[in-house]
Amino acid sequence: AWLGGLPPAGEKVPVELSCRAEQRGDRWVEVWDRNFQGFRMRSSQWAQHGMLVESFGWISLGYKLHVEPPSLRLEVIKAWVAGIPVPLFLAPTGEGLEKGNPDGSISVRAAAIAPILGQIVCYEGLLRKDDL
C-alpha cells in the first residue's frame, strides 16, 4: 500500500475527486487527485498499446477495459514496479467497476489484492459532479 501511495484504512471516509488532463511529452495524461479526509492520493492515467495504464507512485497497472452497458469494468493485465515488468502472479489484482446511473452520477467500486498481503485497498461509493 505504501509503494502505491494508498490511504490508511477507514470506514465511511468522505472522498473528493478532481480530474484534469495535461500533456506530458507526446501524450495526454489524466491526473486524478483524490482527497480521503486530508490524505491525498494522486494517480495518472493514459492510453498505451490498447490498454489504460494507471500509475500510483512506484506501481503502474495496465487494464483491459470491458464495456458492459451501463458499466465499465477494468481488468488488470500488466503490472510494473519502478518501470520494471512484474509477472501477473506477483502483481496486485482486483476489480474496478464503474456504472452510469440515470441521474448522471456514477457508482464506483475498486478493490486491489496483493499476493501474500491480501486486500490492500477497497472503496466504493457514488460520484456526483460538483459544479463549483
Side-chain angles (χ1 to χ4, degrees):
W2 171 78
L3 283 174
L6 300 174
E11 290 190 32
K12 297 184 181 180
V13 176
V15 179
E16 292 179 3
L17 169 67
S18 65
C19 303
R20 71 179 185 284
E22 60 183 53
Q23 191 160 8
R24 293 186 186 166
D26 62 347
R27 78 166 58 134
W28 281 94
V29 173
E30 265 192 18
V31 179
W32 288 40
D33 284 306
R34 300 159 184 90
N35 181 349
F36 294 85
Q37 255 183 341
F39 183 94
R40 298 208 178 267
M41 184 176 99
R42 177 178 290 168
S43 68
S44 300
Q45 302 179 8
W46 63 91
Q48 178 177 312
H49 307 297
M51 294 179 293
L52 171 66
V53 177
E54 185 168 24
S55 179
F56 302 87
W58 291 75
I59 298 172
S60 297
L61 300 174
Y63 303 103
K64 179 178 180 180
L65 304 180
H66 299 274
V67 178
E68 301 162 350
S71 300
L72 175 66
R73 186 171 52 86
L74 287 71
E75 173 190 6
V76 177
I77 59 171
K78 293 201 179 223
W80 302 265
V81 173
I84 300 167
V86 175
L88 278 182
F89 73 91
L90 294 175
T93 60
E95 67 176 16
L97 185 64
E98 301 174 9
K99 180 183 175 201
N101 299 313
D103 67 357
S105 64
I106 301 171
S107 298
V108 175
R109 176 169 168 73
I113 300 162
I116 301 170
L117 299 175
Q119 182 171 292
I120 55 174
V121 68
C122 179
Y123 61 89
E124 63 184 311
L126 197 60
L127 292 176
R128 292 185 188 97
K129 184 176 180 182
D130 187 2
D131 293 318
L132 292 179

